[in-house]
Amino acid sequence: MQTVWSMLADKDIYKAIEDSETMDNEFLRLLLVELLGRVKRLEEINFAFQALLVQEGLFDEEILQQTIKNAGEYLRKKDSRKSEINQMMGNSGIKFKEWVNFILNGSFSDR
């Protein structure tokens, strides 16, 4: 049951991911349920904002679609840069657990 509580905070999710002993099937299933729920909620919010922006006349449909296209291009570039950094870190010899500690705590050690 503690696994369910750990899904409520991103920090706890990261901490659980770094501990290979917690990566059992139940944890992975709950993690996927949590992540898919978050994605679905974002999808609903995104659709609502799009509908309001066009319905209220704040954005023309064509401008909104162009903005979405530009945002997609920006996110692909951002992801590409992130992938390059991840590849560099993977080739650096730094262990994944140490990298997670650095992201969470600003230090490569868990102390």
Side-chain angles (χ1 to χ4, degrees):
M1 211 50 179
Q2 184 61 31
T3 303
V4 176
W5 287 104
S6 70
M7 296 292 156
L8 297 179
D10 290 349
K11 185 174 182 179
D12 292 336
I13 291 172
Y14 285 120
K15 191 172 189 174
I17 288 172
E18 79 178 50
D19 181 9
S20 61
E21 292 180 19
T22 62
M23 296 299 288
D24 61 9
N25 286 338
E26 178 186 359
F27 177 83
L28 290 173
R29 184 180 62 77
L30 289 172
L31 180 61
L32 285 173
V33 167
E34 174 67 19
L35 293 176
L36 289 172
R38 290 181 185 193
V39 168
K40 186 64 179 170
R41 182 69 182 141
L42 285 172
E43 184 179 43
E44 292 169 351
I45 292 168
N46 180 44
F47 181 76
F49 278 123
Q50 285 184 35
L52 286 173
L53 290 171
V54 172
Q55 182 179 353
E56 292 297 318
L58 298 174
F59 274 100
D60 179 68
E61 179 69 29
E62 188 176 320
I63 293 171
L64 180 61
Q65 292 307 317
Q66 185 61 44
T67 303
I68 291 169
K69 180 181 173 188
N70 291 344
E73 290 173 12
Y74 168 78
L75 290 173
R76 278 187 290 283
K77 288 178 185 177
K78 181 178 176 184
D79 187 57
S80 178
R81 285 191 301 268
K82 187 174 183 180
S83 177
E84 290 171 4
I85 291 169
N86 290 342
Q87 186 176 7
M88 179 191 72
M89 293 306 296
N91 294 334
S92 72
I94 297 172
K95 295 178 183 171
F96 182 71
K97 181 177 179 179
E98 292 171 345
W99 178 245
V100 171
N101 280 327
F102 180 75
I103 296 295
L104 294 176
N105 306 316
S107 169
F108 286 105
S109 70
D110 55 359
R111 293 183 187 120

